[in-house]
């Protein structure tokens, strides 16, 4: 029967044939396809993969498939259980439908492809599926595709924290900075929280670690010193500069705005110009809200000083040797103290404690944009994949986003 062959070749529900098709009109049209299982076709046991001839029982299943033209497609499938000589009653193995799946394999594959680019919610809306179903499909696919991480031959690490659930909880990501490969993601940012990573790395692996880049986080540093005492701790430029922006630039801006409370125009200039200060020098020539940079800088000498000092601070991470870095640090520190600007003086004092980890960056010049890049990417993944309070899924998405690139 050529028609039937053409249809079955097109739709690919191997082993089945279409008994009836029903189209239900409505706002979202649906097609219901009732499949039949010819009794002559051979059956494979899903447990052992052996051919089996005896049917134990048949149950009806309704699963979703890819839409047909404009219609959401439902198929009704008589699912057989074979009575296998080895395994007992087992489902019949089908290439196009997994054991307990609610969607066909090809629909699952389409969901996974779309989940790489779109939030779960949008993918669910696109296919007319429940978000939970979509998330579980994507999660299972990630679990299958991500191999256990190979931690051999690793000598440098970078670790960073990120917020989950609007900063109520934190997690830690550990990467190999040269290949940008995520090695591990775990809950918490405490010493205990990151301990499982070092357990996984093992004693031998811990001995091979030469440097670890991180935020100025005492918990990380303490755990690294305990587990990898030979490793150099390197503080990351991205975090130090972010802290500088928060502790110094923001503080000076607020102080100055308060000081200029009675001078309305000057106050407005300071208040609206925060973004200018946090941008790089190249962007500073632009105009925002009629406020020019030179006007802003003229409005306040202290702001100009802390802005220039931020640029100079960054230079500490670009020194050819640790000796040069120490010299540059001393010059920066002296200037900071001499400025007499309170927040800057305080910051310099606090930073001095971390000096060793800052000058170490000269010996371990890690591309500091890596942690910043990963941090930003995690925020995007969180928006796309989270909101479902499934840490395991969220962490899998992070690992999948940074599989590593060849050096
Ligand atoms: Zn079997």
């Amino acid at each position: 029967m050529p028609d039937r062959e053409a249809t079955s070749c097109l739709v690919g529900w191997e082993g089945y044939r279409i008994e009836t098709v029903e189209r239900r009109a409505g706002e979202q049209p649906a097609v219901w396809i009732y499949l039949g299982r010819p009794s002559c076709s051979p059956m494979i046991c899903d447990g052992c993969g052996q051919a089996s001839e005896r049917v134990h029982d048949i149950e009806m299943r309704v699963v979703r498939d890819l839409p047909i033209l404009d219609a959401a497609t439902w198929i009704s499938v008589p699912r057989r259980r074979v009575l296998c000589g080895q395994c007992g009653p087992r489902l019949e193995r089908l290439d196009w439908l997994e054991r307990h799946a609610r969607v066909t394999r090809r629909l699952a594959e389409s969901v996974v492809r779309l989940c790489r680019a779109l939030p779960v919610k949008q993918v669910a809306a696109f296919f007319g599926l429940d978000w939970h179903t979509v998330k579980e499909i994507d999660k299972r696919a990630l679990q299958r595709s991500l191999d256990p991480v190979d931690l051999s031959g690793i000598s440098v690490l970078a670790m960073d924290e990120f917020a989950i659930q609007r900063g109520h909880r934190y997690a830690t990501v550990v990467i190999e900075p040269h290949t940008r490969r995520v090695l591990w993601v775990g809950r918490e940012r405490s010493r205990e929280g990151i301990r499982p990573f070092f357990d996984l790395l093992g004693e031998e692996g811990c001995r091979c670690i030469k440097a670890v880049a991180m935020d100025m986080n005492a918990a990380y540093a303490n755990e690294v010193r305990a587990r990898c005492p030979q490793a150099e701790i390197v503080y990351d430029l991205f975090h130090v500069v972010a802290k500088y922006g928060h502790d110094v630039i923001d503080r000076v801006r607020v102080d100055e705005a308060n000081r200029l409370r009675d001078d309305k125009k000057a106050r407005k200039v300071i208040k609206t110009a925060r973004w200018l200060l946090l941008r790089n020098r190249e962007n500073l020539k632009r105009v925002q809200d009629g406020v020019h940079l030179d006007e802003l800088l003229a409005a306040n000498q202290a702001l100009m000083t802390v802005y220039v000092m931020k640029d100079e601070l960054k230079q500490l991470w670009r020194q050819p040797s640790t000796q040069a870095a120490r010299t540059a640090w001393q010059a920066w520190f002296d200037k900071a103290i001499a400025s007499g600007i309170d927040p800057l003086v305080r910051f310099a004092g606090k930073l001095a404690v971390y000096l060793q980890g800052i000058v170490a960056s000269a010996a371990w010049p890690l591309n500091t944009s890596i942690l910043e890049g990963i941090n930003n990417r995690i925020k995007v993944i969180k928006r796309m994949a989270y909101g479902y309070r499934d840490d395991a899924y969220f962490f899998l998405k992070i690992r999948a986003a940074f599989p590593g690139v060849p050096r």
Side-chain angles (χ1 to χ4, degrees):
M1 199 169 161
D3 278 359
R4 179 161 281 178
E5 273 168 33
T7 310
S8 91
C9 164
L10 181 70
V11 298
W13 296 301
E14 283 85 8
Y16 286 77
R17 67 173 176 225
I18 298 171
E19 301 286 350
T20 48
V21 176
E22 227 178 83
R23 188 181 158 92
R24 300 177 187 173
E27 201 178 318
Q28 169 59 65
V31 164
W32 278 74
I33 296 167
Y34 296 86
L35 299 180
R37 183 82 172 90
S39 52
C40 56
S41 41
M43 300 182 297
I44 303 289
C45 164
D46 195 45
C48 61
Q50 300 291 311
S52 185
E53 283 174 358
R54 292 177 63 194
V55 176
H56 180 267
D57 61 359
I58 297 174
E59 60 169 32
M60 295 306 295
R61 298 282 290 276
V62 173
V63 298
R64 290 285 302 271
D65 205 335
L66 283 168
I68 292 177
L69 302 180
D70 63 338
T73 301
W74 302 81
I75 42 179
S76 166
V77 191
R79 231 14 195 117
R80 289 180 167 190
R81 280 205 299 169
V82 302
L83 191 56
C84 174
Q86 276 187 47
C87 316
R90 277 295 176 112
L91 267 182
E92 175 188 13
R93 179 178 295 176
L94 298 176
D95 286 340
W96 55 275
L97 183 63
E98 282 182 35
R99 206 177 313 175
H100 299 297
R102 285 186 248 176
V103 304
T104 59
R105 177 164 286 169
R106 61 189 166 200
L107 175 52
E109 284 166 359
S110 297
V111 163
V112 170
R113 269 200 297 279
L114 222 51
C115 278
R116 287 189 204 131
L118 286 177
V120 170
K121 203 173 155 189
Q122 261 83 322
V123 177
F126 181 82
F127 286 112
L129 293 167
D130 178 56
W131 67 256
H132 184 78
T133 307
V134 167
K135 187 202 76 178
E136 288 302 317
I137 289 169
D138 193 32
K139 185 176 175 180
R140 265 202 305 278
L142 289 169
Q143 279 164 338
R144 268 197 299 249
S145 69
L146 289 171
D147 299 324
V149 180
D150 176 14
L151 293 175
S152 60
I154 289 173
S155 59
V156 182
L157 300 170
M159 46 181 50
D160 198 9
E161 64 179 48
F162 58 94
I164 44 185
Q165 283 180 5
R166 297 204 180 104
H168 293 312
R169 293 194 296 129
Y170 286 85
T172 298
V173 59
V174 180
I175 66 162
E176 202 295 313
H178 297 115
T179 57
R180 294 169 55 89
R181 181 161 60 106
V182 167
L183 303 174
W184 186 82
V185 190
R187 294 185 182 93
E188 307 302 329
R189 55 176 172 177
S190 59
R191 274 189 78 165
E192 295 72 27
I194 58 167
R195 198 157 289 160
F197 169 73
F198 293 100
D199 294 341
L200 206 64
L201 191 57
E203 273 183 39
E204 184 57 39
C206 284
R207 269 197 290 276
C208 297
I209 301 300
K210 294 182 179 140
V212 185
M214 63 176 73
D215 185 7
M216 294 178 291
N217 171 328
Y220 290 172
N222 288 340
E223 190 62 13
V224 168
R225 282 193 197 103
R227 303 300 288 267
C228 316
Q230 76 291 345
E232 187 94 66
I233 288 166
V234 185
Y235 293 117
D236 176 64
L237 171 136
F238 158 62
H239 288 101
V240 176
V241 170
K243 198 168 165 49
Y244 183 89
H246 182 262
D247 290 5
V248 181
I249 296 182
D250 282 2
R251 195 64 245 167
V252 169
R253 188 179 56 85
V254 170
D255 288 351
E256 292 307 311
N258 288 339
R259 195 170 63 78
L260 295 169
R261 193 168 289 142
D262 302 327
D263 181 344
K264 278 208 171 122
K265 187 183 177 221
R267 187 151 185 237
K268 180 174 180 280
V269 167
I270 304 275
K271 278 182 78 171
T272 56
R274 180 176 183 272
W275 74 273
L276 279 174
L277 288 168
L278 298 176
R279 288 281 177 279
N280 288 323
R281 190 192 287 276
E282 301 83 65
N283 299 335
L284 280 174
K285 299 209 173 58
R286 286 165 51 194
V287 179
Q288 171 87 344
D289 296 329
V291 178
H292 287 86
L293 175 67
D294 41 358
E295 196 181 342
L296 163 72
L297 294 179
N300 197 281
Q301 191 66 33
L303 271 174
M304 189 172 83
T305 305
V306 296
Y307 167 65
V308 170
M309 287 295 280
K310 176 182 144 183
D311 256 14
E312 291 194 12
L313 178 64
K314 285 186 186 173
Q315 298 307 316
L316 298 182
W317 276 262
R318 293 172 189 140
Q319 299 299 319
S321 67
T322 51
Q323 190 46 51
R326 273 183 195 280
T327 308
W329 158 261
Q330 197 56 52
W332 188 88
F333 182 80
D334 292 346
K335 264 189 265 184
I337 301 301
S339 76
I341 300 167
D342 261 3
L344 180 54
V345 171
R346 276 200 303 273
F347 185 83
K350 272 191 274 179
L351 204 57
V353 178
Y354 298 99
L355 179 60
Q356 178 60 33
I358 293 170
V359 300
S361 65
W364 298 99
L366 305 167
N367 184 348
T368 48
S369 64
I370 289 173
L371 279 181
E372 185 178 13
I374 289 183
N375 214 285
N376 289 336
R377 184 77 180 275
I378 286 176
K379 285 181 194 148
V380 174
I381 295 169
K382 182 160 70 174
R383 277 201 296 277
M384 282 176 50
Y386 209 54
Y388 309 122
R389 307 199 171 200
D390 184 343
D391 290 351
Y393 177 56
F394 182 28
F395 294 173
L396 283 166
K397 292 293 271 187
I398 293 171
R399 275 189 60 201
F402 296 97
V405 290
R407 289 179 76 160

